[in-house]
Amino acid sequence: MDIRTELLKLPELDSAAPDRVWQRFQESRRRPASRSWSLPLIGLATVAAAALFVFSPAWMADTPRSVSFSPDSFAGETKWSEVVTLELDGRGTARGTDRDLEISLESGTILAHVQPNTGTQLAVVTDEARVQVVGTVFSVTRGPLGVRTEVTRGKVQVDCADGWSGSVTPEQGAHTCLPIRPALLLTRADALLDAGAADEVLVDTLDRGIALAGPQGVVGGELLVRRMRAHGQAGRVDEALSDARLYLEGSENTRDIEVNRYAGWLAMGARGCGAAIQFLSPLQQAGSPEDRILLAECVAASDPNRAGDLLAESLGQSLDDTWRERARRDLEALGGR
Amino acid sequence: MTASYPEVAYARAAMSGRDEAVDTLCKVWLHTVYAWCHRLGGPGIDAEGAAHDVLLVMVRKLHTIRSAEQFPSWLFGTCRRVIANRRRKAWLKRWVPGPIRERAHPGHTPERSVEARQAADVVWNALDALPSAQREVLVLCELEERSGTEAAALLGVPLGTVKSRLRVARRTFREVVESSGGASAVDGSRAVEVN
């Protein structure tokens, strides 16, 4: 057994992946990073503050206080007051008094237990949603899909920045407020793809992102590429080709080859050469031998010399048996050049 | 063709602290880092996410490396730690439903895709059956066709250790693949010289 031959059965590396990694990396770098020297201090301060509010004396009940929490510095269950208990697994800041508390959630999950009929006001706030409660047990999670509110007992009022507003109860099930920024909608789209979500949910997210970002720009382009693939896989060929054209008209394209190939092959299979040639032509230089064979078949009638050159060039490169045979047949049909 | 890591000159320039040199270093290593994350992490972890994390660590910790010559080995160690971390998280999230995303391959029929996936599963399982130290030498020496010396430098171990790990790794890998009926032909081992 040839071990290398076996290892080569692993899936090929996705050639577009490094571009996506680079894009994510650049976005992460733009976010302000916490200074490493300050982490121990922040951790110490947070633990001290947490201990302070766990053991807070009665006179502090109406004194506003503020506590930052993060997975590195503070996580787990904590008693904010006699009537509010929080389970923290994320990053954010809690501010307020015993009975009037606002939590700004940057990421992760908060599970809040609020004793009913105590007049306690508690709100969890993110860019996408404000969840307001009086007397209940509920959780708010800010993750890649958006801000998810789930109620275990009682009822909460949710106002989403995406336009949705209403109450959430245990019977209704969880509600997710959609992200309102294109980059976060892109993150949601990838999370939906990972989870194998329904096509209409995915396309709705991509539509929203493209409407916000526009087809130009890096994020808009990435959203367009995903929508092109979603349309293509659902058999909506015209929509997929339209997205491909929009993407290719953009100025910050890094995935031209990938888009031309996807659209070219899709158009070739569903609409024939008339629709495919505009996508296949740019692949004459940069594409694969298979791309050139398809292009040759499309130009064979109008420009047999060019088709012959393309086929001869492809035959000189690495091809599997099926494609090699196809190229030979095409070349013979041109008159055995 | 032997895969070789980019020259340490990029690392030396980046360690001087210039932003554009750091960017260049990241770009130069991006494909290698992604390949390591994909091949060493396996299908259970998000290789793109892991590569992204490695780049972030690289930018933030670059100043802690003592010499540019140590950079490739340091980077490989960082990949190893990020992958281990991701594996732990993947283990915790294993009950989350949903298939791993597949990317469309325009040249594959559904039947061919299934066959390719089954063959890949056998190889992933065999790699997964190896201790990480053996998986690393197998990927570096067999799949990436690096020399033993190069692998030893990346792993920070003596050449003899690489050779012995590789010998055991080949044997275990072969046993697992053959026991699962995955090998296309049992025709004796192909010798890859480790120097």
Side-chain angles (χ1 to χ4, degrees):
Chain A
M1 179 181 68
D2 186 327
I3 290 178
R4 182 168 159 74
T5 305
E6 292 303 312
L7 287 170
L8 288 175
K9 290 177 183 170
L10 292 176
E12 287 171 21
L13 296 173
D14 181 352
S15 59
D19 290 340
R20 287 193 295 273
V21 173
W22 185 251
Q23 173 67 28
R24 268 178 76 180
F25 171 61
Q26 292 293 65
E27 285 172 11
S28 299
R29 282 179 84 187
R30 278 195 285 272
R31 284 186 220 126
S34 60
R35 294 186 180 185
S36 56
W37 59 264
S38 63
L39 280 177
L41 284 181
I42 291 170
L44 210 60
T46 309
V47 170
L52 199 62
F53 79 69
V54 168
F55 299 108
S56 58
W59 60 266
M60 284 188 68
D62 292 324
T63 309
R65 52 194 188 276
S66 173
V67 175
S68 296
F69 55 91
S70 75
D72 303 324
S73 60
F74 187 83
E77 184 175 312
T78 187
K79 201 168 165 67
W80 174 265
S81 68
E82 286 304 311
V83 291
V84 177
T85 304
L86 304 171
E87 287 181 38
L88 307 169
D89 181 14
R91 188 182 297 276
T93 309
R95 291 188 194 87
T97 62
D98 274 9
R99 286 185 162 77
D100 188 358
L101 168 63
E102 183 170 297
I103 301 167
S104 171
L105 179 64
E106 292 171 32
S107 63
T109 299
I110 286 177
L111 180 64
H113 302 256
V114 183
Q115 214 173 84
N117 307 318
T118 55
T120 305
Q121 299 287 326
L122 191 156
V124 180
V125 182
T126 71
D127 287 349
E128 296 86 1
R130 180 182 178 86
V131 182
Q132 178 80 43
V133 62
V134 179
T136 189
V137 178
F138 73 105
S139 69
V140 179
T141 303
R142 191 180 192 200
L145 291 172
V147 174
R148 184 175 192 269
T149 303
E150 187 165 20
V151 178
T152 310
R153 191 183 67 221
K155 185 162 84 170
V156 298
Q157 171 67 30
V158 179
D159 297 307
C160 300
D162 64 22
W164 190 89
S165 187
S167 331
V168 177
T169 62
E171 296 75 32
Q172 285 172 318
H175 179 80
T176 300
C177 297
L178 300 182
I180 52 169
R181 287 184 231 148
L184 293 177
L185 283 160
L186 179 60
T187 305
R188 174 179 158 84
D190 284 342
L192 290 171
L193 280 165
D194 282 338
D199 171 64
E200 61 269 23
V201 178
L202 173 64
V203 172
D204 175 64
T205 296
L206 294 168
D207 286 347
R208 285 170 185 268
I210 292 164
L212 285 169
Q216 304 288 329
V218 176
V219 175
E222 288 297 312
L223 288 159
L224 269 176
V225 172
R226 283 159 181 75
R227 194 171 71 178
M228 172 193 75
R229 286 183 173 277
H231 283 323
Q233 281 171 10
R236 295 184 294 268
V237 176
D238 291 335
E239 288 88 340
L241 298 184
S242 167
D243 279 348
R245 283 186 207 101
L246 264 179
Y247 178 84
L248 294 167
E249 285 165 9
S251 56
E252 294 188 54
N253 300 343
T254 54
R255 299 167 70 168
D256 284 12
I257 296 173
E258 178 194 344
V259 169
N260 273 315
R261 174 173 298 130
Y262 189 89
W265 287 52
L266 181 69
M268 187 76 173
R271 299 283 185 270
C273 280
I277 196 153
Q278 73 175 102
F279 301 109
L280 294 174
S281 290
L283 299 174
Q284 174 160 352
Q285 297 299 328
S288 66
E290 291 86 350
D291 297 330
R292 281 188 278 278
I293 293 170
L294 291 184
L295 178 60
E297 290 174 357
C298 284
V299 301
S302 59
D303 191 349
N305 284 335
R306 183 183 170 203
D309 290 344
L310 286 164
L311 290 167
E313 189 184 343
S314 298
L315 282 167
Q317 293 176 303
S318 174
L319 282 171
D320 71 18
D321 292 345
T322 312
W323 280 100
R324 187 165 293 283
E325 183 54 34
R326 182 169 173 167
R328 281 207 191 98
R329 265 204 322 271
D330 290 344
L331 202 56
E332 282 168 17
L334 285 172
R337 274 175 46 111
Chain B
M1 196 180 98
T2 300
S4 62
Y5 51 76
E7 297 80 356
V8 292
Y10 292 112
R12 193 169 292 119
M15 286 166 71
S16 70
R18 285 184 296 119
D19 283 350
E20 63 273 20
V22 175
D23 268 9
T24 305
L25 182 69
C26 290
K27 281 180 185 162
V28 162
W29 280 92
L30 176 57
H31 285 75
T32 308
V33 166
Y34 169 66
W36 283 342
C37 291
H38 176 73
R39 289 163 175 164
L40 297 173
I45 73 154
D46 169 17
E48 292 180 28
H52 161 266
D53 291 355
V54 171
L55 291 188
L56 281 182
V57 174
M58 181 169 137
V59 169
R60 286 172 191 163
K61 303 277 184 181
L62 197 58
H63 65 281
T64 64
I65 307 168
R66 265 176 272 170
S67 75
E69 283 70 24
Q70 291 176 339
F71 176 76
S73 162
W74 177 86
L75 186 63
F76 188 83
T78 302
C79 280
R80 181 192 284 152
R81 283 188 291 279
V82 167
I83 289 166
N85 194 24
R86 289 249 165 189
R87 278 175 178 257
R88 273 195 297 278
K89 286 182 180 168
W91 185 87
L92 290 170
K93 291 179 184 169
R94 66 198 187 282
W95 61 80
V96 177
I100 293 172
R101 180 175 10 154
E102 286 183 26
R103 300 187 191 287
H105 193 308
H108 279 190
T109 62
E111 294 79 10
R112 195 173 151 200
S113 293
V114 170
E115 283 169 15
R117 197 183 315 142
Q118 285 171 343
D121 284 347
V122 170
V123 180
W124 281 129
N125 288 339
L127 282 177
D128 207 37
L130 298 173
S132 58
Q134 292 175 26
R135 183 166 55 238
E136 286 167 5
V137 289
L138 203 66
V139 166
L140 292 176
C141 295
E142 288 281 3
L143 195 55
E144 299 189 353
E145 296 188 298
R146 292 176 190 272
S147 69
T149 313
E150 210 178 342
L154 279 173
L155 295 167
V157 298
L159 178 58
T161 306
V162 169
K163 287 181 178 177
S164 61
R165 282 183 189 172
L166 188 56
R167 193 167 52 248
V168 179
R170 282 175 181 151
R171 190 174 61 224
T172 313
F173 179 85
R174 194 176 297 121
E175 283 169 5
V176 176
V177 170
E178 286 175 1
S179 68
S180 56
S184 48
V186 180
D187 57 4
S189 171
R190 167 181 166 275
V192 174
E193 188 184 356
V194 173
N195 47 34

